[in-house]
Amino acid sequence: MASSLTKASAGNPGSEKTFFGHPRGLATLFMTEMWERFSFYGMRALLVLYLVAGGPDAKSGSQGGGLAMDMATATAIYSVYLAMVYLLAMPGGWFGDRVWGPRKTVAVASGVIMVGHLALAIPGQASFFAGLALVAAGSGLLKANISTMVGHLYDGPQDPRRDGGFTLFYIGINIGGFAAPLVIGTVGQSVNWHLGFALAAVGMGLGLIQFLIGTRHLNPKSSLVPKPLSAQERNSTLFKGLAWLIVATVFYGIVSFTGHFTINWALLPITLLGLLIPVAVLVRIKRDKELTQDEQTKVSGYIWFFAAAAVFWMIYDQGGSTMSFFGENKTADSVFGFNFPSTWFQSVNPLWVMALAPVIAWGWLALNRKGKEPSTTRKFAMGLWLVGASFIVFVIPMAMAEGDTKVTPMWLVTIYMIQTIGELCLSPVGLSVTTKMAPEKYASQMTGVWFLAVTAGDCITGLLGIGGVDLNGAAVVGTQGVLAVIAGVGVWLSRKRIEALMGDVR
């Protein structure tokens, strides 16, 4: 993406230049996140296909050498993995707030992610799951803190550039997401799975280098630890962590020794935790007596956005499982005689984001000048309607692709377009409103709470997969779409109540 650096006013924190009218530090975070997403989405494009390769649900004639799982198990693993990436954003935000500060946390996280992708590049089931765990842990450390540093670049929640800055940051995410399936997906699917995973490690390495070079442009606030742990808190945290580790080790040791262990023994507890922890975290924050009355009220309003986002991501994140499987097995892999690997479908959504994000951002500004820009609540309702509509439309090609019939790729392109418009109504706006409504005590952690909405949505999908529900069936897909539309109606009807709880945040 071409850089646009010009002199800025003295009021810009952390820099003397601007990046498309925004603080110069945004360019550093933009590029770091772009490379991190390159590694993440490249691996995601291969994940389900690698898990089923060589198994009963693999496409005839496709590359072997995978883990030969059935599609239900692969979907459950994929959903739980994504849920853990976003669940770990919460402790990642805690590390930024209490231990290392956002800047150091992001640097360490980048190294952990790179090592995780290198582990995935080593053949074998043990190295594969170890790599998934490392990528999930590193991504959790990085996600909340890099978003917090974007917020640090602006002059408070009322800075008019703030929403636009998060939108630009979102474009960086999608440049990486667009390139990854074309590069990593092609190499992994067509040449060698593990070479593709190795390319993901290279991408994260480039992101780490970019971050270390450009860190001087960030706001000095990003290096501070907002509320350092006391010695007593540090010892207590270490003791609790070790105690839970011992309990888990003993429990799974007994299960394995008695010969009862299956993959569901690992997936089911993690999935249930992914549903219970977000609720427990929101309750804990809401009941914190150190919060002011205004902060308490805003947390109550934020719960509405959290629930709406969970429904949205439940459907949206199936782009790498249900829709990926449909693209591999039920969609034609050629256009005008040009053949392409099915992982390329994973680039369609980021391409739509890059094409539509500037248009929608311009549209919000144009409506704002006329005093007609939809409120955050209305944007959330629109996002839910659109993602629901995408799965209702999805039922049509699913019905057409019976037997050996394959549908035109334009069906998936259209479905991704509908989802993308919904995503642009909800996701960047949701991330921005999270930083605006966060109590000061939970600055980085509230950004982690936003990602817990993704965890909750993915865990619902994971539970369905573990329970044997056919997520690739038209009836289940259509039902999810209808439920999302109903949820959007609920948010729309409750908009005045939600906006009253938001206080001065708009």
Side-chain angles (χ1 to χ4, degrees):
M1 183 172 185
S3 177
S4 176
L5 301 176
T6 57
K7 290 293 181 182
S9 64
N12 277 344
S15 180
E16 296 180 351
K17 294 182 178 182
T18 68
F19 176 68
F20 291 101
H22 293 268
R24 176 64 178 87
L26 184 61
T28 296
L29 300 177
F30 176 101
M31 294 296 292
T32 304
E33 183 73 353
M34 183 192 77
W35 282 114
E36 189 272 332
R37 293 290 88 182
F38 175 85
S39 68
F40 178 85
Y41 281 107
M43 189 273 278
R44 195 188 88 152
L46 297 176
L47 183 54
V48 168
L49 300 180
Y50 173 70
L51 288 171
V52 301
D57 293 328
K59 181 180 177 181
S60 177
S62 61
Q63 179 192 174
L67 298 185
M69 296 181 179
D70 59 73
M71 187 58 194
T73 302
T75 298
I77 291 173
Y78 164 84
S79 299
V80 170
Y81 160 69
L82 284 187
M84 289 306 98
V85 166
Y86 293 98
L87 176 63
L88 292 171
M90 186 65 196
W94 180 85
F95 262 87
D97 280 344
R98 309 298 307 276
V99 183
W100 288 336
R103 190 179 302 188
K104 181 178 179 180
T105 304
V106 167
V108 172
S110 299
V112 172
I113 293 170
M114 183 173 64
V115 172
H117 286 301
L118 288 173
L120 290 170
I122 301 172
Q125 192 170 103
S127 59
F128 174 80
F129 284 109
L132 278 188
L134 287 170
V135 173
S139 297
L141 287 170
L142 184 142
K143 291 187 75 63
N145 289 285
I146 198 168
S147 298
T148 297
M149 288 193 288
V150 173
H152 286 165
L153 297 172
Y154 297 95
D155 297 320
Q158 303 306 322
D159 191 324
R161 303 168 300 167
R162 192 183 183 96
D163 278 8
F166 275 99
T167 299
L168 272 176
F169 182 68
Y170 210 67
I171 292 174
I173 291 173
N174 285 280
I175 290 175
F178 168 72
L182 302 180
V183 179
I184 297 173
T186 300
V187 171
Q189 190 176 12
S190 304
V191 181
N192 182 274
W193 300 113
H194 301 287
L195 181 57
F197 294 137
L199 285 177
V202 172
M204 190 65 258
L206 292 173
L208 176 58
I209 292 170
Q210 158 67 27
F211 181 76
L212 296 175
I213 291 174
T215 191
R216 66 185 185 278
H217 297 298
L218 302 177
N219 191 316
K221 185 178 180 180
S222 296
S223 295
L224 302 178
V225 181
K227 190 179 179 181
L229 287 173
S230 65
Q232 182 179 0
E233 288 175 318
R234 187 182 298 272
N235 292 335
S236 175
T237 300
L238 286 173
F239 175 79
K240 291 177 181 177
L242 286 173
W244 279 110
L245 179 62
I246 292 171
V247 169
T249 301
V250 171
F251 175 77
Y252 281 106
I254 293 173
V255 172
S256 299
F257 181 76
T258 57
H260 291 91
F261 183 82
T262 65
I263 190 67
N264 283 349
W265 274 100
L267 295 178
L268 186 58
I270 294 173
T271 306
L272 293 175
L273 284 173
L275 288 173
L276 295 175
I277 288 175
V279 175
V281 168
L282 286 170
V283 170
R284 179 175 63 84
I285 294 175
K286 183 71 177 69
R287 298 178 65 182
D288 190 332
K289 297 185 183 303
E290 293 184 16
L291 301 186
T292 65
Q293 182 61 44
D294 181 60
E295 288 176 328
Q296 289 270 0
T297 301
K298 288 179 179 177
V299 172
S300 296
Y302 183 75
I303 291 172
W304 284 84
F305 295 117
F306 180 93
V311 175
F312 179 90
W313 296 114
M314 177 187 71
I315 291 178
Y316 180 89
D317 271 351
Q318 291 181 55
S321 55
T322 303
M323 293 182 66
S324 176
F325 188 71
F326 187 84
E328 169 75 351
N329 292 279
K330 297 295 184 179
T331 306
D333 58 0
S334 65
V335 176
F336 302 120
F338 175 75
N339 294 317
F340 55 90
S342 65
T343 49
W344 284 25
F345 284 118
Q346 300 297 303
S347 288
V348 174
N349 169 254
L351 183 61
W352 277 124
V353 170
M354 290 186 287
L356 297 175
V359 176
I360 291 178
W362 174 86
W364 296 147
L365 289 174
L367 289 171
N368 181 267
R369 286 192 292 268
K370 297 178 180 179
K372 296 181 179 180
E373 181 181 2
S375 65
T376 298
T377 310
R378 295 182 182 186
K379 290 176 182 177
F380 263 68
M382 293 163 60
L384 286 170
W385 291 334
L386 287 162
V387 80
S390 75
F391 259 33
I392 293 172
V393 171
F394 192 15
V395 171
I396 300 173
M398 294 186 87
M400 294 170 59
E402 294 182 356
D404 295 329
T405 303
K406 294 191 175 183
V407 301
T408 171
M410 291 308 298
W411 279 108
L412 286 183
V413 171
T414 301
I415 292 166
Y416 278 123
M417 180 191 70
I418 299 170
Q419 290 186 351
T420 299
I421 298 172
E423 176 189 3
L424 291 171
C425 289
L426 184 143
S427 188
V429 176
L431 190 55
S432 180
V433 80
T434 297
T435 63
K436 291 177 182 179
M437 297 178 72
E440 184 176 355
K441 179 180 178 180
Y442 297 99
S444 290
Q445 291 181 63
M446 276 299 286
T447 310
V449 170
W450 166 249
F451 294 121
L452 287 182
V454 188
T455 296
D458 285 333
C459 282
I460 294 171
T461 307
L463 278 177
L464 293 173
I466 293 169
V469 175
D470 182 11
L471 292 168
N472 300 291
V476 174
V477 167
T479 300
Q480 291 178 79
V482 171
L483 290 175
V485 171
I486 292 173
V489 172
V491 171
W492 175 268
L493 294 176
S494 304
R495 63 190 183 279
K496 291 184 179 179
R497 178 182 177 185
I498 299 170
E499 288 164 6
L501 294 171
M502 294 171 67
D504 60 347
V505 174
R506 290 291 179 267

